[in-house]
Amino acid sequence: MDSLLEGLRLVDAHCHGVVAGPLTADAFGLLATEASEPAPPGVSHLDGPLGLAIRRWCAPVLDLPAHAPAADYLARRTQLGADAARRLLHAARLAALFVDTGIRAPGDDWLDGDELGAAAGARVAEVVRLEAVAEQVAASGVAAADFAPAFADALAAATRTAVAVKSVLAYRRGFDIDPSRPARQAVTDAAGGWLRRGAPRLTDPVLLRHLLWCGVDTGLPIQLHTGFGDRDLTLPRADPSLMRGWYERVEPSGVPVVLLHCYPYHRQAGWLAQVYPNVYVDVGLTLGHVGAQAGPVLGEFFELAPFTKVLYSSDAYGLPELFLVGAAQFRWALGHLLSTWLAAGAVADADAERLAHAVAADNARHVYRTAIAASAA
Amino acid sequence: MDSLLEGLRLVDAHCHGVVAGPLTADAFGLLATEASEPAPPGVSHLDGPLGLAIRRWCAPVLDLPAHAPAADYLARRTQLGADAARRLLHAARLAALFVDTGIRAPGDDWLDGDELGAAAGARVAEVVRLEAVAEQVAASGVAAADFAPAFADALAAATRTAVAVKSVLAYRRGFDIDPSRPARQAVTDAAGGWLRRGAPRLTDPVLLRHLLWCGVDTGLPIQLHTGFGDRDLTLPRADPSLMRGWYERVEPSGVPVVLLHCYPYHRQAGWLAQVYPNVYVDVGLTLGHVGAQAGPVLGEFFELAPFTKVLYSSDAYGLPELFLVGAAQFRWALGHLLSTWLAAGAVADADAERLAHAVAADNARHVYRTAIAASAA
Amino acid sequence: MDSLLEGLRLVDAHCHGVVAGPLTADAFGLLATEASEPAPPGVSHLDGPLGLAIRRWCAPVLDLPAHAPAADYLARRTQLGADAARRLLHAARLAALFVDTGIRAPGDDWLDGDELGAAAGARVAEVVRLEAVAEQVAASGVAAADFAPAFADALAAATRTAVAVKSVLAYRRGFDIDPSRPARQAVTDAAGGWLRRGAPRLTDPVLLRHLLWCGVDTGLPIQLHTGFGDRDLTLPRADPSLMRGWYERVEPSGVPVVLLHCYPYHRQAGWLAQVYPNVYVDVGLTLGHVGAQAGPVLGEFFELAPFTKVLYSSDAYGLPELFLVGAAQFRWALGHLLSTWLAAGAVADADAERLAHAVAADNARHVYRTAIAASAA
């Protein structure tokens, strides 16, 4: 099982750009946590599950022993320069990566899009963040009555070659909302209020719903942030089971809804994937962050979700390390899980192999309707 | 431990009737999922945890190797005709089964009650679904003022030989309700409104509460659907810890409340079973659906629940396979769990044996106050 | 790893006093559960996860074989008299214990404070329960306008040598509250209402918030009951992620907030500890109560929490056994967890050792700003 997984190229269906150049210890630490402040003196953000996983999987790729001390690792990383990012991305052995281009670290040496793909040796496609497009439209100076058509045009232009759209409603408002499509006049009124306030970070529930439904109109799969993440999030309102009414309303369109991250509501997400034909779950962010616990956590994703409904991503952001950590943790955890099932007689070899291929790349190819040569090592 | 569990006949304290005859692949698949639509082309509802468990445990009983392909399994099943159901039910090795007769697949060759018991070689008793009785009373053409006494009469008649009543409040309304017994006039008013609307599927909160309290009046144990199930369920409102006020009000009556399924709130359910003397937890539906993960999930049921408070059921519905899957998963998971505890020195042999007997049948015998010869192999 | 953990003296950062003398079987059973009524005839509160853990870890300390029957254990305990408590406390191998003095069993032979420390051979410090101080102030006959200054004075006096304050807001109201500091007049008005009603058990949300903020004013770490406990608790309202707005507001003060117990929301708590620099998680109560499942549950605490943010306590109350059970369960579960991680190559030896020292005592020394010689065996 391990050698099968080593040989599979993964589709990383949700990720972000990275800082290409060297980073200070503080900057590196901040990109390896969901916290938003540097660690206090004497403490390191690397002193936790994700930090251990970085030292475990990435140090050998930079010619250091696994678990080399963080200071040695950072020094070696600086010494290698841009080659470090290339080595780490390449070691993830990806067939494709789908990049959410809606956020980036300000003012850094940012590696995104085609350059990221070239460094990884993988095909690249774009994921368009709905709220970012809306904020760009507002910043362009549109009138309230023109907001809806201007947003529709901007979204059409932005998604011309995209594979998915993405919503961060969980951060902006939470999932305890009216799931119906808002009326046109309500959208114009809400846009008026927002624009009059100078169009700050978009949190208006009517507009956020409008964005979601415009996302459905594109016909592309919709990636939904659910569960944990940065601290500006009321966790219980990010439970994806609160969005039931919306999945039902989206169902007739046939548009897939991919629940990203999910933790600690990944069991709820698995149930949703079982009962709603258009709902999928993605292990991204979670498997990296939980470090040595990736095996048990991945097992929980597989408690109710059909095997055709689970997707891989890294949700890597900022650090090239996170592409490799995501991929290595996934291969390790899935290998461990399937070996346990095989040893217990709970699955046959052929089914285990099919499941591995499905989650590593085949399900993504189906959901995102892209022809990626995913299984060639 | 394994041979002990193999030898124990189980009390299956919550189940349903089955389709006796052959089924198409689509019909079989729909009965092996909580989804409500056939799988799209190229996808099978059997391609998930429960499907694997069916192929693992049931294929050998139909003379096929474990994990035989689904198509082979279905062909062999059709070939065997009614004998397939008999073999599968018999292989579950049940002492008794308590059948919720309140739902059935329409227009099929349905095996229920005594025939089900005969096929399983087990004693049968009935569980009466409160909402089904109320809907039958309404369909009989009762006046609003007569609803309450007519329901009381109908429930008394329906429960004459029953071992329990059951509520599906979780589906119809959720647990964030006023837990008190509604006043008589409020019930009559609510019945009036419901009957005037033509008595559709009962979702009125006053009437649902009235049904629950009439359930308490019967003196029989009350089985409560909690946690996951079909898609017409807002999962967070099916968290059994929301019903705390009701358990407290029921407590003086001494009526046992059995929390069915529970997942993913089974840890919450375990706590409730510890702190409320009249609250019990039942692993039904969950252990089958989580497939190869049954061991870790069963372990979580045993984190806070007293050993005298955990009950077995299959919640089998429609497929005779689900009786065997429930029983086999339970024996396998409990055997694994107790072996792990024994190996760690966390439990003594005698305690492990007592726990196995308790959960397999003794607790059910106590809660449902029935004299079943449960431990004879 | 096991011998390392055996050698570490623990800081038990949250516990209570114990009954020093013999106890009836019923009284002993009631102190070994979160239930509030004696078990019915034929049933024992010891017949569950915590009861097994008591018999496993404590019987050998009283010269009985592990898992000796409960009756034998209780007889031997009575025979040994006060020596039983001394043996059990000593066997926990504690460096220090921080005692919440705000509750005690009425009318018993209660061992608290210095005597408890002497019996355990450990340093003792006090944790002051905010609600208990407020209720004492009210009982002293203060006027509404004087309540706030009188409480401030009483808290200052009570905390002169304390290491922490504690809030039981989760029991009294739940976490879905306005997190801001209430205005002075609102406090006086609320105090007036409470005092006029005869100052019953404090549940007024304005006063409870006032107490919390006065806790912050002391500059001491604040221990917050979260998750399961006695039955007078609506569990979903004890989810610590509901208190996000309060952690943010407390953050500028630098005051540490320690989330006690957490289960079944310990994954949520781990996320909070990662994203809020002032939030910590404490495994107390949970590891004892979940018995043989302590390993998997402890693993879940370590999924998102930084290793510098996890703390040990027993939350022992009433039974000296619970000090030993908490400590033994912690050593066993952590040893098992780290051995698994080491065997998988997920952590290096040096990191595992550092993590063990941190959680056993070093983190507590840092959070509670006390100089305890913690690692000497």
Side-chain angles (χ1 to χ4, degrees):
Chain A
M1 195 41 61
D2 285 347
S3 67
L4 169 73
L5 284 159
E6 292 306 312
L8 285 181
R9 283 194 175 269
L10 309 180
V11 174
D12 187 339
H14 185 79
C15 59
H16 305 265
V18 300
V19 181
L23 289 162
T24 64
D26 267 3
F28 188 92
L30 266 177
L31 288 168
T33 176
E34 296 291 318
S36 46
E37 300 292 328
V43 178
S44 164
H45 280 315
L46 298 180
D47 208 5
L50 180 58
L52 275 194
I54 291 173
R55 291 167 49 214
R56 174 188 191 183
W57 300 113
C58 301
V61 173
L62 306 192
D63 312 318
L64 297 174
H67 299 293
D72 296 0
Y73 180 82
L74 289 170
R76 174 63 180 156
R77 191 183 194 280
T78 300
Q79 185 184 40
L80 285 168
D83 188 43
R86 273 191 298 274
R87 288 194 191 192
L88 293 161
L89 285 161
H90 208 81
R93 296 194 306 286
L94 303 177
L97 30 89
F98 300 161
V99 188
D100 170 2
T101 53
I103 49 164
R104 47 163 301 168
D108 284 310
D109 179 15
W110 196 251
L111 196 66
D112 214 336
D114 289 341
E115 288 174 313
L116 192 65
R123 197 187 136 186
V124 172
E126 195 180 357
V127 175
V128 172
R129 189 183 278 237
L130 295 166
E131 293 81 5
V133 174
E135 286 163 358
Q136 286 154 14
V137 169
S140 73
V142 73
D146 298 331
F147 175 77
F151 176 71
D153 289 349
L155 186 60
T159 56
R160 198 160 301 129
T161 61
V163 289
V165 296
K166 179 188 176 186
S167 162
V168 291
L169 172 64
Y171 280 109
R172 301 302 180 88
R173 182 77 190 189
F175 292 151
D176 46 348
I177 57 157
D178 174 356
S180 65
R181 187 192 288 261
R184 186 59 172 265
Q185 189 57 48
V187 172
T188 301
D189 292 349
W194 182 45
L195 294 168
R196 271 195 300 281
R197 288 192 307 277
R201 188 167 176 277
L202 179 54
T203 59
D204 179 276
V206 171
L207 293 178
L208 291 168
R209 282 160 56 205
H210 176 66
L211 269 50
L212 263 188
W213 281 105
C214 291
V216 174
D217 293 340
T218 66
L220 293 172
I222 301 185
Q223 297 183 337
L224 207 60
H225 178 106
T226 74
F228 85 114
D230 295 324
R231 58 187 266 180
D232 56 332
L233 182 71
T234 301
L235 200 52
R237 296 170 72 184
D239 177 343
S241 62
L242 294 171
M243 282 287 270
R244 173 173 100 81
W246 187 72
Y247 310 136
E248 272 187 7
R249 284 171 172 79
V250 172
E251 189 179 344
S253 72
V255 165
V257 176
V258 180
L259 308 177
L260 300 176
H261 327 318
C262 305
Y263 182 98
Y265 307 111
H266 45 297
R267 289 172 150 167
Q268 283 87 332
W271 174 70
L272 294 166
Q274 178 174 137
V275 298
Y276 291 105
N278 55 323
V279 173
Y280 295 78
V281 296
D282 181 306
V283 302
L285 192 68
T286 296
L287 291 196
H289 267 271
V290 302
Q293 293 293 112
V297 171
L298 185 63
E300 294 174 0
F301 272 97
F302 282 107
E303 283 166 359
L304 291 188
F307 303 146
T308 52
K309 294 292 203 76
V310 182
L311 299 163
Y312 170 72
S313 80
S314 66
D315 197 27
Y317 170 81
L319 296 181
E321 276 82 357
L322 300 181
F323 285 90
L324 174 55
V325 165
Q329 291 272 110
F330 171 72
R331 288 187 175 100
W332 173 59
L334 187 56
H336 177 77
L337 190 70
L338 292 177
S339 299
T340 307
W341 293 8
L342 284 164
V347 67
D349 285 315
D351 292 300
E353 283 186 30
R354 204 159 47 89
L355 190 160
H357 279 274
V359 180
D362 291 353
N363 292 344
R365 206 185 291 138
H366 173 73
V367 171
Y368 298 102
R369 298 173 186 128
T370 57
I372 308 148
S375 305
Chain B
M1 195 41 62
D2 286 348
S3 67
L4 170 72
L5 284 159
E6 291 307 311
L8 284 182
R9 283 195 176 268
L10 309 180
V11 174
D12 188 340
H14 184 79
C15 59
H16 305 267
V18 301
V19 181
L23 289 162
T24 64
D26 267 2
F28 188 91
L30 266 178
L31 288 168
T33 176
E34 296 292 318
S36 46
E37 300 292 329
V43 178
S44 164
H45 281 314
L46 298 181
D47 209 6
L50 180 58
L52 276 195
I54 290 173
R55 291 166 51 214
R56 174 186 190 183
W57 300 114
C58 301
V61 173
L62 306 193
D63 311 320
L64 297 173
H67 299 293
D72 296 359
Y73 181 82
L74 289 170
R76 173 64 179 156
R77 191 180 194 281
T78 301
Q79 186 184 38
L80 285 168
D83 188 43
R86 273 191 297 275
R87 286 195 193 192
L88 293 161
L89 285 161
H90 208 80
R93 297 194 306 287
L94 303 177
L97 30 89
F98 300 161
V99 188
D100 170 3
T101 53
I103 51 164
R104 48 164 298 169
D108 286 309
D109 179 14
W110 196 250
L111 196 66
D112 214 338
D114 288 341
E115 288 174 312
L116 192 65
R123 193 187 138 186
V124 173
E126 194 179 358
V127 174
V128 173
R129 191 184 278 237
L130 295 167
E131 293 82 3
V133 173
E135 286 163 357
Q136 285 155 13
V137 168
S140 73
V142 73
D146 297 331
F147 174 77
F151 176 71
D153 289 349
L155 186 60
T159 56
R160 197 160 302 125
T161 61
V163 289
V165 296
K166 179 190 175 185
S167 161
V168 290
L169 172 65
Y171 281 109
R172 301 301 180 90
R173 183 76 191 189
F175 292 151
D176 45 348
I177 58 157
D178 174 358
S180 64
R181 187 192 287 260
R184 187 59 172 264
Q185 188 58 47
V187 173
T188 301
D189 292 349
W194 182 46
L195 295 168
R196 270 195 302 279
R197 289 192 307 277
R201 186 168 177 277
L202 179 55
T203 59
D204 180 276
V206 170
L207 293 178
L208 290 167
R209 282 161 56 205
H210 176 66
L211 269 51
L212 263 187
W213 281 106
C214 291
V216 174
D217 294 340
T218 66
L220 292 172
I222 301 185
Q223 297 183 338
L224 206 59
H225 177 106
T226 74
F228 85 115
D230 295 324
R231 58 188 266 179
D232 56 333
L233 181 71
T234 300
L235 199 52
R237 296 168 72 183
D239 176 344
S241 62
L242 294 171
M243 282 287 270
R244 173 172 101 80
W246 187 71
Y247 310 135
E248 272 187 7
R249 282 170 173 79
V250 172
E251 189 179 342
S253 72
V255 165
V257 176
V258 180
L259 309 177
L260 300 176
H261 327 318
C262 306
Y263 181 99
Y265 307 111
H266 45 298
R267 289 172 151 169
Q268 282 87 332
W271 174 70
L272 294 166
Q274 178 175 135
V275 298
Y276 291 105
N278 55 323
V279 172
Y280 295 78
V281 296
D282 181 306
V283 303
L285 191 69
T286 295
L287 291 195
H289 266 270
V290 301
Q293 294 293 113
V297 172
L298 184 63
E300 294 173 0
F301 271 97
F302 282 108
E303 283 167 0
L304 290 188
F307 303 145
T308 51
K309 293 292 202 78
V310 183
L311 299 164
Y312 171 72
S313 81
S314 67
D315 196 27
Y317 170 82
L319 295 182
E321 277 82 357
L322 300 182
F323 284 90
L324 174 55
V325 164
Q329 291 272 110
F330 172 73
R331 288 189 176 100
W332 172 58
L334 187 57
H336 178 77
L337 190 71
L338 292 178
S339 299
T340 307
W341 292 9
L342 284 164
V347 66
D349 284 316
D351 292 299
E353 283 186 31
R354 204 158 48 89
L355 190 160
H357 279 273
V359 180
D362 291 352
N363 293 343
R365 204 185 290 137
H366 173 73
V367 171
Y368 297 102
R369 297 173 186 128
T370 57
I372 309 147
S375 304
Chain C
M1 194 42 60
D2 285 349
S3 67
L4 170 72
L5 284 159
E6 292 306 313
L8 284 182
R9 284 195 174 268
L10 309 180
V11 174
D12 187 341
H14 185 79
C15 59
H16 304 265
V18 300
V19 180
L23 288 162
T24 64
D26 267 2
F28 188 91
L30 265 178
L31 288 168
T33 176
E34 296 290 317
S36 45
E37 300 292 327
V43 177
S44 164
H45 280 315
L46 298 181
D47 208 5
L50 180 58
L52 276 195
I54 291 173
R55 290 167 49 215
R56 174 188 190 183
W57 300 113
C58 300
V61 174
L62 307 194
D63 311 319
L64 298 172
H67 299 293
D72 296 359
Y73 180 81
L74 290 170
R76 173 64 179 155
R77 192 182 193 281
T78 300
Q79 185 184 41
L80 284 168
D83 189 42
R86 272 191 298 274
R87 287 195 191 193
L88 293 161
L89 284 161
H90 207 80
R93 297 195 305 288
L94 303 177
L97 29 89
F98 301 160
V99 188
D100 170 3
T101 53
I103 49 164
R104 51 164 298 169
D108 285 310
D109 180 16
W110 196 250
L111 196 65
D112 214 338
D114 289 341
E115 287 174 314
L116 191 64
R123 196 187 136 185
V124 173
E126 194 179 358
V127 174
V128 172
R129 190 183 278 236
L130 294 166
E131 293 82 4
V133 173
E135 286 164 357
Q136 286 155 12
V137 168
S140 74
V142 72
D146 297 331
F147 175 76
F151 176 71
D153 289 349
L155 187 60
T159 56
R160 199 161 300 127
T161 60
V163 289
V165 296
K166 179 189 177 187
S167 162
V168 290
L169 172 65
Y171 280 110
R172 301 301 179 90
R173 182 75 190 190
F175 292 151
D176 46 349
I177 58 155
D178 174 357
S180 65
R181 186 193 287 263
R184 186 60 173 264
Q185 188 58 48
V187 173
T188 301
D189 291 350
W194 181 46
L195 294 168
R196 270 195 301 280
R197 288 192 306 278
R201 189 168 175 275
L202 180 56
T203 59
D204 180 276
V206 170
L207 293 179
L208 291 168
R209 282 160 57 205
H210 176 67
L211 268 51
L212 262 188
W213 280 105
C214 291
V216 174
D217 293 340
T218 66
L220 293 172
I222 301 185
Q223 298 183 337
L224 207 59
H225 178 106
T226 74
F228 85 115
D230 295 323
R231 60 188 266 181
D232 56 334
L233 182 70
T234 300
L235 199 52
R237 296 169 72 184
D239 176 343
S241 62
L242 294 171
M243 282 287 270
R244 173 174 99 82
W246 187 71
Y247 310 136
E248 272 187 7
R249 283 170 173 79
V250 172
E251 190 179 342
S253 72
V255 165
V257 176
V258 180
L259 309 177
L260 300 176
H261 327 319
C262 307
Y263 182 100
Y265 307 112
H266 45 298
R267 289 171 150 168
Q268 283 87 331
W271 175 71
L272 294 166
Q274 178 176 136
V275 299
Y276 290 105
N278 54 322
V279 172
Y280 295 78
V281 296
D282 182 306
V283 302
L285 191 68
T286 296
L287 291 196
H289 266 270
V290 301
Q293 294 292 111
V297 171
L298 184 63
E300 295 174 0
F301 271 98
F302 281 108
E303 283 168 359
L304 290 188
F307 304 146
T308 51
K309 294 290 204 77
V310 183
L311 299 164
Y312 171 72
S313 80
S314 66
D315 197 27
Y317 170 82
L319 296 181
E321 277 82 357
L322 299 181
F323 284 90
L324 174 55
V325 164
Q329 291 272 110
F330 171 72
R331 288 190 176 98
W332 173 59
L334 187 57
H336 177 77
L337 190 71
L338 292 177
S339 299
T340 307
W341 292 9
L342 284 164
V347 68
D349 284 315
D351 292 301
E353 284 186 30
R354 204 158 48 89
L355 190 161
H357 279 273
V359 180
D362 291 352
N363 292 344
R365 204 185 292 140
H366 174 72
V367 171
Y368 298 101
R369 296 172 188 129
T370 56
I372 309 147
S375 304

